[in-house]
Amino acid sequence: QQQQQQQQMQNMQRQVEKMETSNGNTTKGVVVQEPPKSTSSDDKNVAASNSNEKNEDQAGDDSSEKDTSGNAVPSDIRYTEEGKQIPVGNGGTTTRYKWTQTLNEVTIAMAIPPNTRAKDLKVELKKKSISISHLPSKKSLLDGTLSNEIQTSDFESTWSIESNVILVMLEKKNKDWWEHVLEEDFASEIIDTELLDKTHKISDYDTATQGMIRKILFDQRQERLGLPSSDEILHEETSKKVGGNEMCSGVGNGIITNVEDLKKNLPPGAEFIDY
C-alpha cells in the first residue's frame, strides 16, 4: 500500500512538472499528498450532523415573505418601519406585477409569455374585479378583486401589449389614492400613502377647474409684475370703442362677439379660457 501511495505521488509530481514546463516555468515543483485518512463511523456522524446544521441555517436565513401563492416577495423593495412599501411612481411592486397611479388612474405592468398577441389574451375589466387569461396555455395570469371601483366604459379602462408586457390602465371611479390594487395582494405589497407625491398636474382636473386654476395663476403673476388682472384685461378689451361705438356687454355696433377676435386683442402672456 505504501508503494502504491509513493507511486501516486511520483505520478502527480511529474504532471505538475509538465504543466509548469509547458507554461514556460522551468522551476520544478514538489507536490506532497498525504495518504487518505480512513473515516470512522463517528467521523461520518459528525459530518452528517454538520451538514444538517448547515442546511437548517440556510433554511432559517430564507426569511423572505411569501404571498398567498407561496411566491417570494422581491427583496429589493424598501419598507417603512410599519412594514409598508415605500411607493415608487406612487405605486408598488408585487410578485406578479408592478403598478403606478395618478389621482385619476392606475397602471398595471405585468410580464406575459413571449410572442403573446392581443388575440391570445382574454381581459375582463369590471368595476370591482380584473381577470387576465392566456388562451393558448389556458392559464390565468391575473385574477382578483380590485381594492377600489373603476370606470368600465370602452374608452376609460383599457389595455395594450408592449414588448411581452401587458399594460392595463384603470380609470378610477373616485379620485382617491390606492394603497394596493387587489384585495388578494400580500400584506407586504401595500404601499404607504402618506409618502405619495400628491402634487397634481393641472391636466388631472376637469376643464372648468383647469380654467379656474390657470386664471388664479395668471392673476398672481400679473400682481407680482404690477400688471392688470385677467378681469381688468377682459373689461378693457370689451370696453374699447370700435368705429365710434361703445363696446359694452355685447350691445351696440362693432362689438367683438367672436371669441377668436377677442383672443387676438389680448396682450402678450394673457390666455382666454372659456369655462
Side-chain angles (χ1 to χ4, degrees), residues 118-136:
K119 67 178 183 179
D120 296 329
L121 296 177
K122 180 180 180 181
V123 181
E124 294 182 339
L125 303 177
K126 300 180 180 180
K127 68 176 183 178
K128 202 67 171 62
S129 66
I130 181 174
S131 175
I132 304 175
S133 302
H134 185 247
L135 298 179

Side-chain angles (χ1 to χ4, degrees), residues 54-181:
K54 183 177 180 180
N55 292 335
E56 291 176 358
D57 291 341
Q58 291 177 346
D61 291 340
D62 186 14
S63 57
S64 59
E65 291 187 280
K66 303 289 192 299
D67 65 6
T68 54
S69 302
N71 299 317
V73 175
S75 58
D76 58 344
I77 302 172
R78 295 186 301 156
Y79 294 91
T80 64
E81 294 181 355
E82 292 76 19
K84 294 184 177 181
Q85 283 192 25
I86 296 176
V88 177
N90 280 353
T93 300
T94 74
T95 56
R96 293 170 291 177
Y97 59 87
K98 294 179 180 291
W99 66 283
T100 60
Q101 67 175 322
T102 65
L103 190 61
N104 294 321
E105 67 180 18
V106 169
T107 301
I108 298 173
M110 182 178 66
I112 55 178
N115 303 319
T116 297
R117 296 168 295 179
K119 67 178 183 179
D120 296 329
L121 296 177
K122 180 180 180 181
V123 181
E124 294 182 339
L125 303 177
K126 300 180 180 180
K127 68 176 183 178
K128 202 67 171 62
S129 66
I130 181 174
S131 175
I132 304 175
S133 302
H134 185 247
L135 298 179
S137 64
K138 298 181 180 180
K139 290 184 178 180
S140 173
L141 303 180
L142 188 66
D143 188 15
T145 303
L146 295 170
S147 60
N148 295 273
E149 291 188 5
I150 62 171
Q151 304 284 359
T152 56
S153 69
D154 294 338
F155 302 103
E156 290 177 316
S157 294
T158 59
W159 61 277
S160 62
I161 296 176
E162 295 183 14
S163 302
N164 297 326
V165 173
I166 182 172
L167 298 176
V168 184
M169 283 68 72
L170 305 176
E171 186 75 17
K172 297 178 180 178
K173 182 177 181 180
N174 300 314
K175 310 307 179 187
D176 300 323
W177 295 107
W178 292 16
E179 286 187 325
H180 53 109
V181 177

